[in-house]
């Protein structure tokens, strides 16, 4: 059966302490696990519903996947689902699966069971019977037991015909939003059936859930690839009383001239990290024509590059910066530079190298006209983020 899907990734993650869809799990953002599974199962289109301030996270998190789009979510889950459904094209009776991004381990067998059940019902929900003893409690005191016969733990995705669930949500008249789409469809007179769920399809709700999920993900991780990026930057000397290099301010009788603070070491390293990801260069992300960056501290450029790497499930392994100049003397400040770079990059100091050399009074650096910096960064990326043909996934 042909189907479409809506993945809800607009929650605040208040109980988990993080916005769950965008956290790396087993080397991939949580949301990618579900979108990838739905596309592989044959979804003709997947709509990812995200909070307004997270829409920019989609392209790096879902890089290399085709057949998905993003829309802005609403104030409630029901409103977010309605917006996702509205964004879908095609026949009104098209099957649609509505899934929580916080349930990353979606298997094809669950999808198949849902679609089969939808042939003879208005909706289908994967569920697991309640097996633990159920008790009421007040203020940590044990209360009466609850008969668990006939009780189930509902999961997602939930399957419906699109027009049926759209009308049910639009016609909902309860005092509070429905707990899920199945409740709305039942209230509208629809018949919703249960299909066997999957214990692995648990919802990431509390911090400890991520520990269990990470252990499960280890056996499902995407292969990692190693990439190396290189950066180079030059600035000329001009009047001043200090100079910024590798995030450290050095007293000096000149300064480097640039649109920002002209920290050539940080500029080169930022380009090296962006280069390892194939993510453009520092000028693409922070155009020198933009007055916003006039005199800006370059540490924010480096932090930006590291955050983009992390969003792709990548890890910065080590960095190596070489400063090429006749002045100032770098060695007295080298350890401070290493410490600052380690802090900005989230690395141990032994993974950070800062060196200096001269050009033996040759060229523009030898004539004290300017300073040059070159940097190398080594990163590991999941094969999907590295656009590696060996991964078997589409490349950009």
């Amino acid at each position: 059966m042909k189907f479409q899907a809506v993945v809800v990734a607009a929650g605040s993650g208040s109980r988990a302490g993080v916005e769950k869809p965008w956290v790396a799990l087993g080397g991939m953002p949580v949301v990618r696990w579900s979108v990838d599974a739905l596309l592989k199962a044959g979804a003709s289109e997947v709509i990812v519903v995200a909070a307004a301030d997270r829409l920019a996270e989609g392209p790096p998190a879902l890089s290399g996947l085709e057949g998905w789009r993003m829309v802005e979510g609403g104030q409630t889950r029901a409103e977010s689902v309605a917006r996702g459904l509205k964004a879908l094209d095609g026949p009104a009776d098209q099957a649609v699966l509505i899934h929580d991004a916080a349930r990353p381990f979606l298997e094809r067998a669950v999808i198949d069971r849902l679609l089969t059940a939808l042939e003879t019902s208005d909706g289908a929900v994967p569920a697991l019977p309640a097996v633990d003893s159920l008790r009421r409690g007040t203020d940590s005191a044990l209360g009466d037991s609850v008969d668990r016969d006939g009780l189930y733990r509902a999961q997602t995705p939930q399957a419906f015909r699109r027009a049926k669930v759209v009308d049910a949500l639009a016609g909902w008249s309860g005092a509070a939003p429905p707990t899920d789409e199945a409740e709305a469809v039942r209230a509208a007179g629809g018949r919703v059936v249960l299909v066997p769920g999957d214990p692995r399809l648990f919802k990431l709700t509390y911090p400890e859930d991520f520990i269990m999920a990470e252990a499960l993900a280890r056996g499902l991780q995407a292969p990692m690839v190693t990439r190396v990026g290189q950066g180079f930057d030059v600035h000329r000397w001009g009047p001043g009383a200090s100079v910024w290099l590798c995030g450290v301010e050095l007293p000096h009788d000149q300064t480097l001239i640039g649109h920002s603070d002209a920290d050539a070491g940080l500029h080169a390293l930022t380009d090296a990290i962006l280069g390892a990801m194939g993510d453009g260069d520092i000028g693409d992300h922070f155009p020198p024509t933009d007055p916003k960056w006039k005199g800006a501290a370059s540490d924010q450029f480096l932090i930006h590059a590291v955050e983009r790497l992390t969003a792709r499930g990548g890890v910065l392994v080590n960095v190596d910066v070489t400063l090429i100049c006749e002045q100032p003397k770098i060695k007295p400040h080298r350890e401070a530079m290493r410490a600052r770079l380690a802090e900005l990059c989230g690395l141990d100091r032994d993974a950070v190298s800062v060196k200096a050399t001269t050009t033996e009074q040759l060229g523009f650096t030898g004539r004290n006209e300017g300073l040059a910096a070159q940097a190398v960064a080594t990163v590991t990326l999941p094969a999907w983020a590295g656009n590696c043909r060996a991964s078997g996934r589409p490349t950009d």
Side-chain angles (χ1 to χ4, degrees):
M1 181 187 296
K2 293 182 179 179
F3 73 96
Q4 301 167 308
V6 172
V7 175
V8 185
S12 64
S14 57
R15 286 177 290 182
V18 295
E19 292 194 48
K20 295 172 286 188
W22 315 106
V23 176
L25 175 65
M28 296 194 297
V30 167
V31 68
R32 187 183 178 93
W33 287 85
S34 298
V35 175
D36 193 22
L38 289 162
L39 290 172
K40 283 181 175 177
S44 60
E45 184 175 29
V46 177
I47 301 296
V48 180
V49 188
D53 61 352
R54 288 293 183 171
L55 293 175
E57 303 282 355
L62 302 174
S63 172
L65 299 181
E66 297 179 357
W68 61 273
R69 289 188 289 126
M70 293 191 75
V71 299
E72 183 179 335
Q75 294 299 311
T76 65
R77 185 185 190 283
E79 186 178 346
S80 293
V81 170
R83 291 187 180 187
L85 292 169
K86 185 177 180 180
L88 289 170
D89 299 318
D93 65 346
Q94 178 79 64
V96 59
L97 269 58
I98 302 171
H99 185 53
D100 293 333
R103 297 181 187 269
F105 303 120
L106 175 59
E107 294 292 326
R108 174 66 179 267
V110 174
I111 296 174
D112 289 343
R113 289 196 289 267
L114 289 167
L115 295 176
T116 298
L118 195 58
E119 294 176 355
T120 56
S121 65
D122 297 311
V125 175
L128 296 173
V131 295
D132 294 323
S133 175
L134 302 180
R135 300 295 182 95
R136 299 187 188 278
T138 304
D139 296 329
S140 301
L142 182 66
D144 295 336
S145 63
V146 178
D147 186 358
R148 63 175 180 253
D149 288 345
L151 294 182
Y152 290 85
R153 294 186 288 133
Q155 301 178 315
T156 71
Q158 299 183 355
F160 310 94
R161 299 291 178 178
R162 192 169 80 243
K164 191 76 174 180
V165 68
V166 167
D167 290 345
L169 290 172
W172 176 260
S173 59
T179 56
D180 59 15
E181 296 67 53
E183 184 180 14
V185 171
R186 286 188 68 249
R191 176 174 175 266
V192 180
V193 300
L194 299 177
V195 302
D198 187 334
R200 294 168 295 184
L201 200 51
F202 63 91
K203 186 176 183 180
L204 300 173
T205 304
Y206 299 103
E208 53 268 28
D209 294 333
F210 285 86
I211 299 174
M212 183 166 60
E214 192 66 43
L216 179 58
R218 289 191 190 118
L220 304 171
Q221 280 181 320
M224 301 295 285
V225 295
T226 300
R227 289 179 139 202
V228 177
Q230 175 181 276
F232 184 79
D233 193 49
V234 171
H235 286 281
R236 62 184 175 86
W237 289 113
S242 65
V243 59
W244 283 92
L245 289 172
C246 293
V248 176
E249 187 176 19
L250 283 61
H252 193 52
D253 58 3
Q254 288 183 296
T255 193
L256 292 173
I257 305 301
H259 186 65
S260 62
D261 64 6
D263 190 326
L266 293 188
H267 294 180
L269 183 52
T270 299
D271 266 350
I273 296 172
L274 293 172
M277 293 187 286
D279 196 15
D281 60 30
I282 194 171
D284 295 326
H285 296 264
F286 305 95
T289 55
D290 189 341
K292 176 181 180 180
W293 308 117
K294 180 67 175 177
S298 296
D299 54 3
Q300 62 189 307
F301 305 158
L302 180 58
I303 291 171
H304 172 80
V306 173
E307 287 178 345
R308 290 183 68 83
L309 175 66
T310 302
R312 296 191 183 191
V315 176
L316 185 59
V317 178
N318 77 292
V319 299
D320 185 7
V321 178
T322 301
L323 301 173
I324 307 168
C325 58
E326 297 290 332
Q327 57 164 327
K329 295 297 183 182
I330 302 301
K331 189 172 182 178
H333 308 283
R334 185 167 59 191
E335 290 310 309
M337 293 178 181
R338 292 181 66 203
R340 181 57 177 158
L341 290 182
E343 179 184 4
L344 293 173
C345 295
L347 292 171
D348 292 332
R349 191 179 299 196
D350 64 2
V352 176
S353 173
V354 176
K355 307 187 300 293
T357 189
T358 72
T359 55
E360 299 294 336
Q361 299 183 343
L362 299 175
F364 73 91
T365 59
R367 295 189 297 269
N368 285 323
E369 296 172 2
L371 177 146
Q374 62 182 25
V376 175
T378 305
V379 308
T380 60
L381 284 164
W384 62 265
N387 300 322
C388 176
R389 286 188 174 85
S391 71
R393 299 179 184 271
T395 59
D396 284 346

